[in-house]
């Protein structure tokens, strides 16, 4: 049994708890919130025995083995390093850090304390992503990867009324690239590695974050095109185009339907059965790694997370998107 704590009491934590409770080796024993009222409310709702409002005391406690971090992006590195320094394993919500420097510090802490550190990006651990990886060779030499995740944010209406919520606040290392673009970039990093060239453009909002953007990337024999937005919506599928055929993926952030359309008109269905609680797979991967004594995932590896952050750092630099976290050493 792996005893988990959670940092962050938002909807994404609730989704993870719901999914994780389908795994028999998962136990939820602690919750952290900045306010006691919120911690008590969340603990009562989810039957959590221990609650903390002091992160240092929580990290030192012996009531949990691993922690799921779902706080704002700018807190990820600091909170993860604190927990790892006390021997706790860390499953950290995407993006795992504000930038590559923060992530290097996190990797160093993980290695120093011999603990598991994994980015909680669900899409690359889903059965339908495994289908993409296993059948990719069938489309021949890949020439283009196209991925889009554009979803009009419910918080953008509040922003337009003058209320800047976390989602549009650069203090929290937020914005379209960090929140949605990461879902397009991470699978690309897993499938194809790091590109040779990156050209980024985007629209910066008055608050200082990006509302939307595009990235064009060049590999030796192919290119990649990414679109992301929190201020408009897209209904296009994503594609991997090869010389023999094209793989069509309904949603890059959560693939539920995958097929290949060959040049001769034949269509091959690759879709696999998948649990409706999609976060199940990332928790299962994390727990399986712990049980096997591993300190890194092969899919959501440190290298894949680093490549993703390197691309996002470069894209942000090109469009002039800076976070307070970038000033820290």
């Amino acid at each position: 049994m792996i005893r988990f704590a959670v940092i962050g009491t938002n909807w994404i934590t609730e989704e993870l708890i719901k999914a994780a409770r389908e795994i028999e080796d998962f136990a939820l024993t602690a919750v952290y919130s900045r306010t006691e009222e919120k911690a008590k409310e969340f603990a009562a709702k989810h039957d959590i025995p221990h609650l903390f409002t002091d992160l240092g005391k929580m990290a030192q406690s012996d009531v949990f083995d691993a922690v799921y971090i779902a706080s704002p992006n700018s807190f990820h590195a600091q909170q993860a390093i604190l927990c790892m320094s006390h021997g706790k394993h860390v499953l950290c919500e995407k993006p795992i850090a504000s930038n590559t420097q923060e992530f290097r510090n996190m990797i160093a802490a993980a290695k120093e304390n011999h603990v598991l550190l994994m980015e909680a990006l669900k899409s690359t651990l889903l059965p339908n992503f495994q289908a993409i990886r296993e059948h990719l060779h069938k489309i021949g030499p890949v020439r283009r990867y196209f991925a889009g995740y554009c979803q009009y944010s419910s918080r953008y209406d509040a922003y337009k009324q003058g209320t800047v919520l976390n989602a549009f606040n650069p203090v929290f290392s937020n914005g379209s690239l960090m929140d949605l673009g990461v879902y397009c970039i991470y699978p690309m990093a897993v499938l194809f590695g790091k590109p040779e060239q990156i050209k980024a453009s985007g629209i910066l909002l008055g608050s200082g974050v990006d509302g939307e953007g595009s990235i064009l990337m060049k590999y030796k024999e192919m290119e990649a095109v990414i679109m992301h937005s929190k201020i408009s919506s897209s209904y296009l599928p994503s594609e991997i185009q090869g010389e023999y055929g094209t793989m069509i993926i309904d949603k890059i952030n959560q693939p539920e339907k995958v097929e290949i359309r060959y040049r001769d008109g034949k269509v091959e269905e690759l879709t696999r059965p998948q649990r409706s609680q999609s976060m199940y797979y990332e928790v299962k991967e994390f727990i399986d790694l712990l049980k096997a004594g591993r300190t890194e995932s092969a899919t959501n590896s440190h290298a894949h997370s680093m490549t993703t952050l390197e691309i996002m750092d470069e894209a942000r630099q090109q469009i002039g998107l800076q976070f307070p976290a970038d000033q820290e050493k």
Side-chain angles (χ1 to χ4, degrees):
M1 188 67 74
I2 308 296
R3 302 170 305 158
F4 276 78
V6 292
I7 296 175
T9 51
N10 51 31
W11 68 271
I12 196 78
T13 309
E14 305 226 348
E15 287 296 302
L16 180 113
I17 292 168
K18 208 184 298 180
R21 282 191 161 146
E22 294 182 2
I23 303 166
E24 60 180 41
D25 291 314
F26 174 87
L28 183 56
T29 57
V31 59
Y32 165 82
S33 181
R34 284 169 296 175
T35 68
E36 191 170 353
E37 182 187 0
K38 187 72 177 173
K40 281 181 176 174
E41 181 189 327
F42 199 85
K45 182 177 181 180
H46 296 285
D47 195 25
I48 306 171
H50 304 280
L51 56 95
F52 296 88
T53 55
D54 183 317
L55 207 56
K57 286 180 181 173
M58 179 168 129
Q60 291 169 32
S61 77
D62 60 359
V63 299
F64 70 100
D65 313 299
V67 59
Y68 168 67
I69 298 176
S71 54
N73 302 336
S74 57
F75 297 138
H76 288 179
Q78 175 191 349
Q79 292 174 342
I81 290 168
L82 176 62
C83 290
M84 289 189 288
S85 69
H86 290 282
K88 305 298 195 286
H89 305 281
V90 171
L91 177 64
C92 187
E93 194 49 62
K94 60 82 206 162
I96 197 164
S98 299
N99 52 41
T100 50
Q101 185 54 55
E102 282 190 350
F103 189 48
R104 281 190 200 96
N105 296 340
M106 292 166 81
I107 294 171
K111 289 181 174 173
E112 188 181 329
N113 295 284
H114 310 290
V115 293
L116 170 61
L117 171 65
M118 188 182 104
E119 187 160 4
L121 186 111
K122 66 181 180 181
S123 54
T124 44
L125 299 168
L126 297 175
N128 281 309
F129 187 76
Q130 302 311 314
I132 292 167
R133 293 183 83 171
E134 288 170 24
H135 294 272
L136 191 60
H137 66 278
K138 292 180 177 178
I139 65 172
V142 173
R143 294 306 189 185
R144 180 180 287 114
Y145 168 90
F146 165 71
Y149 190 9
C150 304
Q151 184 173 292
Y152 187 94
S153 171
S154 57
R155 296 172 181 85
Y156 186 49
D157 287 335
Y159 176 84
K160 287 193 287 187
Q161 298 297 321
T163 304
V164 181
L165 299 171
N166 285 9
F168 291 99
N169 190 339
V171 168
F172 299 113
S173 305
N174 269 335
S176 179
L177 177 67
M178 301 293 276
D179 192 21
L180 304 185
V182 63
Y183 281 109
C184 303
I185 298 168
Y186 207 106
M188 184 192 77
V190 173
L191 294 171
F192 305 110
K194 191 177 178 182
E196 295 176 353
Q197 296 172 22
I198 299 167
K199 291 179 182 173
S201 64
I203 303 297
L204 294 184
L205 302 176
S207 67
V209 303
D210 58 327
E212 60 107 85
S214 305
I215 311 174
L216 179 64
M217 285 164 283
K218 173 81 168 56
Y219 287 82
K220 190 175 181 185
E221 301 289 340
M222 60 169 275
E223 64 174 13
V225 183
I226 282 170
M227 299 190 317
H228 58 88
S229 177
K230 289 174 75 74
I231 57 175
S232 62
S233 294
S234 172
Y235 304 93
L236 294 173
S238 294
E239 292 186 342
I240 305 175
Q241 301 168 8
E243 292 188 2
Y244 306 156
T246 297
M247 190 177 282
I248 301 171
I249 304 148
D250 64 338
K251 292 177 295 196
I252 198 67
N253 59 303
Q254 189 173 311
E256 291 175 350
K257 180 176 170 57
V258 184
E259 66 180 23
I260 295 176
R261 296 193 182 186
Y262 293 97
R263 286 207 336 266
D264 62 4
K266 189 179 122 201
V267 177
E268 183 180 3
E269 182 73 39
L270 304 178
T271 306
R272 293 182 178 174
Q274 203 162 273
R275 288 172 179 260
S276 59
Q277 299 289 349
S278 57
M279 295 179 84
Y280 167 92
Y281 298 98
E282 66 193 65
V283 185
K284 182 79 165 57
E285 167 87 352
F286 190 80
I287 287 175
D288 287 349
L289 289 167
L290 283 179
K291 287 165 71 178
R294 302 270 302 281
T295 54
E296 195 176 341
S297 166
T299 301
N300 287 15
S301 64
H302 295 169
H304 291 149
S305 293
M306 183 62 82
T307 294
T308 301
L309 280 168
E310 285 172 346
I311 292 167
M312 294 202 294
D313 277 5
E314 177 61 28
R316 288 198 297 112
Q317 187 175 352
Q318 289 187 21
I319 68 171
L321 174 57
Q322 288 193 316
F323 300 136
D326 299 328
Q327 311 307 318
E328 296 169 16
K329 297 296 179 192

